[in-house]
């Protein structure tokens, strides 16, 4: 999701824009100052931006954004923009930010294993794979034309994993795949289908594989009002430093169930003990499809709600969260609507929460379109 | 949704099958004893039926099914089929029952007003409209071929409503549109778009217009366990007599908001006063697309949850509900999975409830497919 929060500052309140001049990586089709080209899958595209929408520029390894919790609180107040209470345009904007470049899909070749499309690889990026002809093979398929596949000698999942891993290492050493995580994602055509091999997480968008994650909204109820626990990502985190985040979220590595992964992430990210985290409720899934240069993200996030005791205070264990704050849900809604402070895919998961808990009503213009847009990607 | 619960009895427990010999209406492509041809939009079609799945045959104006509340309770118990707890096939089966005949769409002509497709009319049914050439016009459209539209003299919504109403009356007198309700539905291309005219509710599926409704799950929490209030439809109701139903549900007529309509239905169907019903939470929407002979249902149901006090007991005001019963949610899940006791579209709304409240988990095979299938129709 690198660069998907890059956005032109849309208001005079430009101090919210972080300096991003020290970005280590640059990708085609994005820039620091221009809003990236957006796919518009909705029936009611925004004709104009929300006049009081706030933006923050950041990118992979960018300097952290300069907003403070005080800024977050200020912009979240109803009086900051009293007229946008039933206006869904700020939400549509965030969905679009996660679903760019649909018109560029023809630049990608299907990545096919055992007659199943498991990913999409950019034609230019595929040029780099030609040097590894004992691993990657260009081929023609009757129905889809040019495809990439694995060498037919690689029949076993473990062999494929090892062979591709060597290629990834070479590409990483040449700066073509930044930010190696040493974490393996399963390569599959859809969730629950056979896993053909495992792939380094940082390489996932370059191979356009489906990637799955678990995202949890941790909330508190007090005197009939709901509050969400919001994290602020560590300022030294390589991706989206300093941006707002869920209480708990993580990618789904190979070989662990969603439920067990969530419990593990709850412990690491927020110090939530199993006795509490095991009460988290799976509530569905959201998806998005984002093309950004050579990267094609096809993510599905399993969503969870956890109602926490009023007395609970999260405590990050792994150094990835700088601080937490508990905020009334209607004020979180305003932050999403009015700013780009949240890591982009968190917006989708929180909008899903807003739907399920009645903060967005059928009387709002665009209700069904926004609801459908929560699964803009292939949600399988 | 006539006939969509017609199903071959699949088990030896045949006493659950109601006599349906006195069905007043018969439609092409369905019969009393054969399971209707089903569209299979899912990646994991059921290879075999659940061996202990129960069915009940009924149809519009059929004799009521013969099951009792005791039968409902018996089949809902875990021990009735201890092995189906994480098996989603019974749910997929109910989704399919609401989404038949996708392969028959070519038998329908688009119904176009002001360049917007507002419905679909079966080619054979359209023959009946040729007698009303001052109202309905056959025409050719460059992009979609043959279409039906309204006479160009009918420019105002009120004029269209009156002219079409006269046609519907004639067709009804000739038995071509049974069960006139004297209730008007808005004709529109999507929710929130301009309303071109209003159409008698009973005619909606013959013109294939989008139809909207509100469905509410009324539930109670007691000692950490959730219970759903379930209604049993009146035995003399013309549609789906004696079948299980939500606590509150209703079509969305022209000129009333979802929220206000729900409050009205709460009062009429379950005697829920506004002070309680105004706490109902809108939680999303489901949709289905069902072709049954000349009828094309394209329904979108706005879904609501209402948490009721333990002490509340529903009290039907309009004679449409025979009785109510409060049942643990996991037992309601078993009823849906194992029987066709519920009015078919209620199954979808309750499966949506089961997802949002964590009764169906990502560890169940087919989780994402089932989740997506809740919006099998055009949900706009």
């Amino acid at each position: 999701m690198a660069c998907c929060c890059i956005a032109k500052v849309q208001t005079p309140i430009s101090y919210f824009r972080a300096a991003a001049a020290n970005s280590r990586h640059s990708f085609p089709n994005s820039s620091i100052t221009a809003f990236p080209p957006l796919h518009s899958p909705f029936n009611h595209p925004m004709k104009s931006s929300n006049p009081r929408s706030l933006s923050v520029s950041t990118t992979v390894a960018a300097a952290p954004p300069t907003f403070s919790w005080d800024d977050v609180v200020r912009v979240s107040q109803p009086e900051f923009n009293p007229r946008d209470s039933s206006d869904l345009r700020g939400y549509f904007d965030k969905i679009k930010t996660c679903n760019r470049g649909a018109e560029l899909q023809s630049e990608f070749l299907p990545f096919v294993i055992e007659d199943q499309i498991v990913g999409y690889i950019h034609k230019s990026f595929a040029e780099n794979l030609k040097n590894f002809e004992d691993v990657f093979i260009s081929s023609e398929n009757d129905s889809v034309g040019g495809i990439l596949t694995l060498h037919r000698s690689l029949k076993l999942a473990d062999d494929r994993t090892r062979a591709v891993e060597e290629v990834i290492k070479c590409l990483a050493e040449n700066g073509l795949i930044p930010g190696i995580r040493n974490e393996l994602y399963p390569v599959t055509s859809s969730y629950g289908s056979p896993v053909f091999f495992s792939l380094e997480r940082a390489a996932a968008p370059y191979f356009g594989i489906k990637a799955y994650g678990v995202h949890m909204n941790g909330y508190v109820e007090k005197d009939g009002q709901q509050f969400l626990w919001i994290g602020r990502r560590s300022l030294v985190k390589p991706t989206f430093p300093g941006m707002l985040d869920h209480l708990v979220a993580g990618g789904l590595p190979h070989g662990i169930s969603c439920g067990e992964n969530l419990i593990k992430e709850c412990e690491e990210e927020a110090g939530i003990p199993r006795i509490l985290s095991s009460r988290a409720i799976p509530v569905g899934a959201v998806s998005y499809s984002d093309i950004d240069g050579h990267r094609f993200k096809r993510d599905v996030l399993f969503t969870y709600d956890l109602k926490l005791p009023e007395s609970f205070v999260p405590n990050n264990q792994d150094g990835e969260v700088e601080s937490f704050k508990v905020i009334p849900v209607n004020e979180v809604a305003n932050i999403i609507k009015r700013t780009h402070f949240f890591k982009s895919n968190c917006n989708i998961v929180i909008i899903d929460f807003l739907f399920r808990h009645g903060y967005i009503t059928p009387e709002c213009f665009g209700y069904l379109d926004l609801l459908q847009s929560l699964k803009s990607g292939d949600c399988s």
Side-chain angles (χ1 to χ4, degrees), chain A:
Chain A
M1 191 48 55
C3 292
C4 57
C5 282
I6 293 172
K8 192 169 92 176
V9 172
Q10 295 165 306
T11 78
I13 309 174
S14 55
Y15 64 84
F16 281 99
R17 187 164 73 90
N22 64 344
S23 168
R24 275 212 308 256
H25 313 293
S26 67
F27 302 103
N29 298 318
S30 67
S31 74
I32 297 297
T33 53
F35 205 88
L38 297 180
H39 167 51
S40 172
F42 315 117
N43 291 344
H44 307 291
M46 285 176 291
K47 289 268 163 48
S48 62
S49 296
N50 184 329
R52 301 204 68 176
S53 176
L54 299 182
S55 300
V56 58
S57 292
T58 187
T59 184
V60 172
T66 53
F67 66 81
S68 67
W69 278 119
D70 283 347
D71 295 325
V72 171
V73 169
R74 192 174 60 80
V75 77
S76 74
Q77 298 305 302
E79 58 271 22
F80 188 83
N81 187 353
R83 288 176 305 172
D84 70 352
S85 65
S86 66
D87 186 341
L88 306 185
R89 288 180 298 175
Y91 300 135
F92 277 114
D93 180 41
K94 305 310 174 297
I95 303 288
K96 284 184 184 177
T97 303
C98 291
N99 290 280
R100 298 169 301 169
E103 71 283 4
L104 303 172
Q105 192 163 344
S106 61
E107 296 179 5
F108 289 75
L109 295 170
F111 179 30
V112 175
I113 301 179
E114 295 180 20
D115 293 328
Q116 302 285 313
I117 294 179
V118 297
Y120 294 91
I121 301 174
H122 195 276
K123 288 172 182 170
S124 300
F125 188 83
E127 290 296 313
N128 302 313
L129 304 178
K130 286 188 174 166
N131 301 323
F132 306 94
E133 57 193 16
D134 53 342
V135 181
F136 290 98
I137 304 292
S138 287
S139 154
E140 287 290 319
N141 179 290
D142 288 345
S143 58
V144 292
I147 63 167
L148 277 166
T149 186
L150 293 180
H151 193 280
R152 61 195 160 85
S153 68
L154 298 168
K155 290 199 191 314
L156 300 176
D158 285 351
D159 293 342
R160 291 165 177 163
T161 299
R162 273 192 295 271
V164 173
E165 192 175 21
E166 289 302 314
V167 176
I168 305 293
K169 270 187 196 163
C170 287
L171 297 174
E173 283 164 9
N174 286 286
L176 291 166
I177 298 181
I180 294 295
R181 308 280 285 255
N182 293 314
E183 191 179 326
L184 290 175
Y185 270 7
V187 176
T188 176
S189 60
S190 62
Y191 186 72
S193 294
V195 175
F196 296 113
F197 70 102
S198 301
L199 180 71
E200 157 62 32
R201 176 173 176 171
Y206 294 94
F207 289 83
I209 66 164
K210 302 287 292 289
Y212 301 89
V214 292
H215 276 234
M216 191 187 82
N217 286 297
Y219 71 103
V220 177
E221 277 183 6
K222 189 177 173 183
D223 301 332
Q225 192 179 6
Q226 289 181 316
F227 299 74
L228 273 168
W229 273 107
I230 300 299
R232 188 172 191 196
R233 294 164 72 86
S234 161
L235 296 171
V236 296
K237 212 167 149 55
T239 54
F240 305 98
M243 298 197 76
L244 302 186
D245 205 340
H246 281 117
L247 182 57
V248 171
L252 189 65
H254 191 187
I256 185 169
S257 73
C258 287
E260 275 304 313
N261 193 40
L262 187 80
I263 286 171
K264 180 178 78 66
E265 296 284 352
C266 277
E267 179 64 40
E268 292 172 5
E269 297 206 342
I272 304 174
R274 181 180 282 262
I275 195 167
L276 279 182
S277 60
S278 59
R279 297 180 202 161
I281 293 173
V283 290
V286 299
S287 62
Y288 50 95
S289 175
D290 189 70
I291 290 177
D292 173 23
H294 291 172
R295 298 155 52 89
F296 192 165
K297 285 187 80 85
R298 300 193 302 138
D299 291 358
V300 176
L301 308 179
F302 293 94
T303 52
Y304 288 78
D305 281 357
L306 176 59
K307 186 175 170 182
L308 288 158
E310 277 183 54
S311 58
F312 176 79
V313 176
N315 178 19
N316 178 246
Q317 307 291 307
D318 61 7
E320 296 194 355
V321 185
E322 180 225 55
S323 53
F324 294 100
K325 194 169 177 65
V326 66
I327 301 178
V329 174
N330 50 5
E331 296 178 14
V332 175
N334 288 337
I335 297 166
I336 289 178
K337 201 180 279 184
R338 298 169 182 170
T339 78
H340 286 260
F341 289 172
F342 272 97
K343 177 170 174 279
S344 53
N345 62 1
C346 297
N347 288 302
I348 307 179
V349 179
I350 298 178
I351 294 170
D352 176 70
F353 182 94
L354 298 176
F355 267 106
R356 289 182 293 96
H357 290 266
Y359 292 91
I360 301 174
T361 71
E363 285 72 22
C364 298
F365 183 73
Y367 181 84
L368 290 175
D369 291 330
L370 186 64
L371 181 65
Q372 288 192 88
S373 76
L374 301 179
K375 294 184 179 64
S376 291
D378 170 5
C379 197
S380 70

